[in-house]
């Protein structure tokens, strides 16, 4: 994946059980699994994967996102000198993190990302202006009209897709991350064996096979070949 997500974290209601699930599915874990915060539980947040966008300056990028309508959810830093990671509700209501780039982080296991938001044209325009992402619009796709994300003009293959919540009834604004696997069939079988949920297999716009799933705590994630 070539978008600037450099770090991921699972926030869940049962850390031990989630560790067992993902170790059985992926083997060595590349990303931390932590408890869902009391604040998140109070606001009814479910277990979820949180992606952090790598940025040169959290403070500068946060300021730009806030001008685009984002709101801070959680920050460990002093508001006047943001250096630690920060979690925001993005311009489309999606939760996402900002984190200073770290080239020494574990290899990225996420191969594709999907953003589901209302008014996707406005939302992806904000991401493009702030992060320099490129995109193109395709009037027809499996999920209806969609914006396809590419990291730069030199990229030929989309790294993600942005679709409208109205084209996916019942969906709330969120990022969905697809973890790369060597065999989709084996991964789907293993998820079901582990009592996770698989909501069908389909083809990504890149031609790769993928499946959208839930783990045992209900956290949504995808797998793709």
């Amino acid at each position: 994946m070539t978008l600037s997500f450099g770090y991921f974290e699972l926030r869940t209601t049962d850390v031990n059980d989630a560790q067992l699930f993902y170790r059985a599915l992926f083997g060595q874990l590349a990303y931390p699994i932590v408890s869902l915060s009391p604040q998140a539980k109070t606001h009814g947040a479910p277990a979820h994967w949180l992606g952090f966008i790598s940025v040169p300056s959290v403070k500068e990028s946060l300021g730009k996102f806030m001008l685009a309508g984002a709101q801070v959810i959680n920050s460990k830093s002093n508001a006047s000198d943001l250096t630690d990671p920060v979690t925001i509700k993005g311009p489309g209501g999606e939760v996402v993190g900002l984190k200073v780039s770290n080239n020494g982080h574990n290899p990225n296991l996420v191969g594709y990302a999907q953003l589901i938001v209302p008014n996707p044209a406005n939302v992806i325009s904000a991401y493009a202006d702030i992060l320099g992402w490129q995109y193109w619009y395709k009037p027809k796709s499996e999920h209806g009209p969609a914006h396809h994300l590419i990291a730069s003009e030199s990229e030929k293959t989309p790294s993600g897709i942005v679709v409208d919540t109205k084209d996916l009834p019942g969906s709330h604004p969120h990022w969905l991350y697809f973890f790369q696997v060597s065999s989709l069939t084996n991964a789907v079988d293993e998820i079901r064996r582990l009592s996770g949920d698989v909501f069908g297999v389909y083809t990504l716009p890149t031609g790769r096979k993928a499946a959208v799933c839930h783990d045992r705590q209900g956290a949504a994630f995808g797998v793709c070949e």
Side-chain angles (χ1 to χ4, degrees):
M1 180 177 174
T2 53
L3 295 178
S4 46
F5 284 98
Y7 183 78
F8 298 88
E9 184 176 276
L10 176 63
R11 299 181 174 184
T12 188
T13 53
D14 190 331
V15 171
N16 290 334
D17 188 69
Q19 288 175 337
L20 292 173
F21 179 90
Y22 286 100
R23 283 175 182 158
L25 182 58
F26 297 130
Q28 182 66 34
L29 296 173
Y31 307 113
I33 295 176
V34 301
S35 294
L36 196 64
S37 71
Q39 178 186 9
K41 291 179 181 178
T42 299
H43 287 86
H48 62 277
W49 278 97
L50 177 64
F52 287 81
I53 300 169
S54 295
V55 294
S57 166
V58 170
K59 181 178 180 181
E60 181 179 344
S61 298
L62 175 61
K64 293 178 179 178
F65 268 106
M66 291 182 74
L67 287 174
Q71 298 176 335
V72 175
I73 296 177
N74 189 313
S75 172
K76 297 179 181 179
S77 295
N78 184 289
S80 63
D81 184 27
L82 285 163
T83 55
D84 290 334
V86 61
T87 305
I88 65 173
K89 180 176 285 188
E94 73 289 354
V95 176
V96 69
L98 303 176
K99 187 178 187 296
V100 172
S101 304
N102 179 5
N103 294 330
H105 184 62
N106 289 317
N108 195 341
L109 297 179
V110 172
Y112 195 77
Q114 182 182 57
L115 176 58
I116 304 169
V117 286
N119 302 314
N122 293 337
V123 174
I124 194 53
S125 178
Y127 274 89
D129 289 343
I130 296 167
L131 302 171
W133 289 356
Q134 307 290 316
Y135 62 92
W136 72 80
Y137 180 72
K138 187 175 181 181
K140 293 183 179 180
S141 71
E142 185 172 350
H143 299 304
H147 294 80
H148 297 266
L149 296 171
I150 52 176
S152 67
E153 292 182 358
S154 62
E155 295 292 331
K156 304 298 183 183
T157 303
S159 301
I161 189 171
V162 186
V163 298
D164 199 319
T165 49
K166 70 181 182 182
D167 293 316
L168 294 171
S171 293
H172 64 281
H174 70 284
W175 279 99
L176 178 68
Y177 308 104
F178 290 79
F179 292 85
Q180 297 182 121
V181 294
S182 57
S183 169
L184 187 68
T185 298
N186 291 346
V188 165
D189 288 345
E190 183 67 1
I191 290 166
R192 287 173 172 152
R193 187 190 71 80
L194 293 167
S195 299
D197 294 319
V198 178
F199 299 97
V201 175
Y202 61 97
T203 302
L204 297 174
T206 59
R208 300 161 71 182
K209 296 292 185 181
V212 177
C213 315
H214 280 172
D215 65 21
R216 291 193 291 242
Q217 283 67 52
F221 69 101
V223 288
C224 66
E225 287 185 337

